Amino acid sequence: MMELFKKYIEEEKDFLEGILNSHNLTELEHKTHEKNLREQISNLSDIIVSIKTPALNFPLPPPETEAPATPNLPVITHSPRKHNKKSSQALTIKEAAERFVFANTRKSSDTIKGTQTTIELFIEAFGDIPVDQITGKVAGNFQDLLLGLPSNHGKEKRRLPIRDAVQDAKERGLSTLSGKTAKNHFSRLSALWSVLVQREIVTRNPWMQWSFDTTKKTERRCWTDDELSLLTEAQWEHRTISQRTYAGIVMVALYTGMRLGEICNLRCQDIENIQEVACFRICQHAEDNWSPKSAAGIRIVPIHSQLISLGIMSFVQPNQHFLFPDLPTSRDGVRGAAFGQTFSRLKDKLGLPPEVAFHGFRHTVSTKLRNQNADIRELWIDRLLGHEASHRSQGTMNYTSSIDVKNLSMVIESLDYPSLKMRIPRK
């Protein structure tokens, strides 16, 4: 019987040693498992030694009893691998934007360009850090920087680094970024973070529920007849954009109400005859990576007879891509940026007030059309200008997409500028 018990103890010892040898100790986070196993093996070895000693009076179980149960052993499980810190930090803010915004073909070019500007500002301020390290504190610091930036930051050729620009604006008392612009930056980041939260890449969105003063600093308004008359005598000054292009763009704006970006991206192929009416077709340009501001911006705009008389069709040339080919594209891929900056300088030179801007041409057209006779419907005006319809029922949307071009032409032809004497120079 003593031999049986001894054999049992030795088998238990072998069992524990087998577990110890087969277990990969390098994966154990708690070394106590190894210590416990070794202590039990040592205790069993002592028992075996004691059995061999004659003085040991060890009570043996009666033969008819069952073998002793296996001693309670510590539960041995493979510890989870250490968290891969690199994997959680691999997705930086730039990589997140590239994956979920820039590579998303459903995003408009305006959304992509705006997000690029926001991401560049953030990286300039804080670096291309992992998204899970961007907290509410970081978001608050970014808000402070944005609201301290001069309003013309990024528009000048040589700009100061973001923190130096904030300090310079403070020292010189410069006009700073509007709350609306800062809110737009936060909205773009919040949209990106919503995707990251859904995918469980981050746990919360630090860009939500921030307050901004969105009161307009300068209320844009329409151009008066006297202010339009000043443009007739204005001398355009730009090294590569011609006086002819300047006059063409201004006249298109006044006789269509189109946005500057829409005009600057017009292609020769975008002029079509539809229902025997010459029209501008505003649509997405996949090859130029440009699209209208919204779905409502995709539209047909009849060409005013006065525009045709002034010679707008002479801009269409064989094998020419853009209607205004001498407009440069900025480093951010924006056609019309240089024109807009030069136009602002010209406006200041003419002594026009800040509330009068190029976008004011669009307000002027809208106001003139809405003050016309009752035969012109509000929906037709919204359709021409690329506005979302006031009543967005399915019936309304279907109706606006099928408005007869001749009705739209009637609306356009109601525009008149008796005091405007501007002409488009010939080549």
Side-chain angles (χ1 to χ4, degrees), residues 243-258:
Q243 177 85 15
R244 172 178 162 81
T245 292
Y246 155 71
I249 290 176
V250 170
M251 298 307 284
V252 169
L254 284 170
Y255 283 103
T256 66
M258 290 166 59

Side-chain angles (χ1 to χ4, degrees), residues 254-255 304-305 365 368-373 376 381 384 407-418:
L254 284 170
Y255 283 103
H304 198 290
S305 58
V365 170
K368 280 182 172 289
L369 292 179
R370 296 178 200 282
N371 287 331
Q372 297 297 332
N373 60 61
I376 297 179
I381 298 173
L384 275 172
N407 287 331
L408 298 179
S409 181
M410 177 192 69
V411 178
I412 282 290
E413 290 296 331
S414 69
L415 290 170
D416 186 30
Y417 301 93

Side-chain angles (χ1 to χ4, degrees), residues 1 20 74 82 139 155 166 174 221 223 266 277 343 385 424:
M1 187 61 64
L20 179 61
K82 291 185 178 180
K155 298 178 182 179
V166 170
L174 300 177
R221 62 167 174 80
W223 289 65
L266 281 173
V277 177
F343 185 85
L385 296 178
I424 298 176

Side-chain angles (χ1 to χ4, degrees), residues 1 18 57 114 124 128 135 146 151 156 170 175 187 224 253 259 265 271 277 321 326 355 358 364 413 427:
M1 187 61 64
N57 185 16
E124 184 182 353
D128 188 18
T135 62
L146 289 176
S151 56
E156 65 276 16
K170 183 177 180 180
S175 175
S187 295
T224 65
R259 300 174 177 91
N265 282 281
I271 295 181
V277 177
H321 187 61
D326 53 348
E355 55 268 23
F358 188 92
T364 302
E413 290 296 331
K427 291 183 179 180

Side-chain angles (χ1 to χ4, degrees), residues 48-80:
I48 293 172
V49 172
S50 300
I51 289 174
K52 295 178 181 180
T53 304
L56 177 63
N57 185 16
F58 193 86
L60 295 177
E64 64 274 13
T65 60
E66 297 179 358
T70 304
N72 291 330
L73 300 177
V75 177
I76 300 175
T77 59
H78 288 282
S79 300

Side-chain angles (χ1 to χ4, degrees), residues 149-166:
L149 278 175
S151 56
N152 64 343
H153 184 73
K155 298 178 182 179
E156 65 276 16
K157 292 183 179 179
R158 299 179 63 183
R159 71 179 190 183
L160 293 171
I162 185 170
R163 297 181 188 279
D164 293 340
V166 170

Side-chain angles (χ1 to χ4, degrees), residues 4 9 55 67 81 114 129 143 150 155 159 171 180 204 209 215 232 269 281 295 304 318 320 328 336 364 379 385 394:
L4 288 174
I9 296 299
R81 293 182 180 273
I129 59 178
Q143 182 192 47
K155 298 178 182 179
R159 71 179 190 183
E171 293 175 354
K180 181 180 179 181
R204 61 181 296 271
Q209 299 180 339
T215 304
T232 303
Q269 70 185 64
R281 181 183 291 277
H304 198 290
Q320 179 177 295
T364 302
L379 285 173
L385 296 178
Q394 187 64 42

Side-chain angles (χ1 to χ4, degrees), residues 184-203:
N184 288 339
H185 286 300
F186 267 59
S187 295
R188 294 170 191 139
L189 291 170
S190 182
L192 171 58
W193 249 254
S194 294
V195 177
L196 299 179
V197 171
Q198 286 180 329
R199 292 174 176 265
E200 298 184 355
I201 296 173
V202 296
T203 57

